[in-house]
Amino acid sequence: MSDLTQRKEEILEAVFTEREAGRDGIGDVLLAASRELTAGAAPVDLEALAKDGLATLSDGRVALTADGEKRARDIVRRHRLTERLFRDLLDVGERVMEEQACALEHILSVEATDSVCTLLGHPPTCPHGKPIPPGPCCGAYQKTLRPLVTGLPAFTLGATGRIVFIAPKFHDRMDRLAALGVIPGSTIRLHQRSPSFVIEVGETTIALDPEIAGEIYVKPVEAR
């Protein structure tokens, strides 16, 4: 676990997520952090990060140092993986998902985080479509745990699964798949991998390009 206080971790997370949105102003960061902190955030919080060597402040803007970047990245990774865990495997609602993610991002160990990531099949995005920073486990060839969620290319031929999430490179792909009934929650059966992927959704058989198939993540379910 991190040796930072929960408050400092929230501020670091705010710097990271605001930068993702293209904002690095001190006011923007403090406003974002205040949404998560009961007592709100103040300039002194950013000054504390700067004193710890985690951020730099200049001309009304804030930037992360190398150490701050690593720490913030790890916090965001834990938060977004936990969101996936509670949404995709435990089927909880948005409010509970966020509450649990906010709590667990401060206490998950590195080992537990990698285990969650592996169980989820190393998802590239959170339920809101934001990127999940990858960890060392994402590039490992040998896994100690069998993923509960896998990309369609690694799914067992002839098996039945439920689509957990889709991470398309292009937004219009999601619309085209939705028109075919290929959406999160749909039950599918994988019939073929080559030359194209062939799946059955309801009573419809659909052929998918390998690149698109690689963007679909599935959890095994028992056939009815």
Side-chain angles (χ1 to χ4, degrees):
M1 292 186 292
S2 171
D3 58 352
L4 295 175
T5 64
Q6 182 171 326
R7 185 176 185 84
K8 286 184 178 180
E9 287 191 341
E10 291 287 358
I11 303 295
L12 276 175
E13 183 179 11
V15 177
F16 189 99
T17 56
E18 284 300 290
R19 187 189 65 196
E20 283 184 320
R23 297 183 291 267
D24 62 358
I26 288 176
D28 293 319
V29 171
L30 293 178
L31 179 61
S34 293
R35 298 191 190 104
E36 305 299 329
L37 295 169
T38 303
V44 67
D45 291 303
L46 291 175
E47 292 168 6
L49 291 186
K51 184 177 180 181
D52 290 343
L54 301 173
T56 59
L57 307 175
S58 178
D59 298 325
R61 301 184 182 281
V62 57
L64 295 172
T65 63
D67 189 21
E69 180 75 21
K70 180 181 183 304
R71 302 258 193 151
R73 186 176 180 276
D74 289 344
I75 296 163
V76 170
R77 180 169 185 255
R78 293 196 297 268
H79 182 102
R80 293 177 181 174
L81 280 172
T82 306
E83 286 182 325
R84 275 283 170 212
L85 175 67
F86 280 88
R87 168 64 65 82
D88 300 334
L89 297 188
L90 303 182
D91 295 320
V92 302
E94 180 79 14
R95 182 182 62 80
V96 175
M97 177 189 75
E98 281 299 328
E99 288 177 352
Q100 294 302 313
C102 288
L104 290 177
E105 71 180 34
H106 302 294
I107 62 176
L108 279 183
S109 66
V110 173
E111 294 78 8
T113 301
D114 286 347
S115 293
V116 170
C117 187
T118 300
L119 284 171
L120 295 174
H122 310 284
T125 61
C126 74
H128 306 104
K130 297 178 181 179
I132 297 176
C137 66
C138 298
Y141 289 101
Q142 294 183 347
K143 311 288 193 308
T144 57
L145 294 171
R146 182 179 180 180
L148 295 180
V149 178
T150 63
L152 190 58
F155 199 58
T156 303
L157 199 64
T160 299
R162 177 174 63 86
I163 297 177
V164 176
F165 62 92
I166 302 173
K169 292 182 179 178
F170 305 102
H171 183 72
D172 61 341
R173 285 183 180 174
M174 183 73 84
D175 295 333
R176 294 202 302 269
L177 289 172
L180 297 171
V182 182
I183 59 176
S186 295
T187 298
I188 68 168
R189 182 186 294 272
L190 178 61
H191 288 292
Q192 175 183 301
R193 288 200 184 93
S194 181
S196 61
F197 283 78
V198 175
I199 63 173
E200 177 185 328
V201 182
E203 298 181 356
T204 304
T205 300
I206 302 169
L208 298 172
D209 179 272
E211 183 179 31
I212 295 176
E215 298 169 349
I216 299 173
Y217 290 76
V218 184
K219 174 184 177 182
V221 297
E222 292 185 6
R224 294 180 179 178

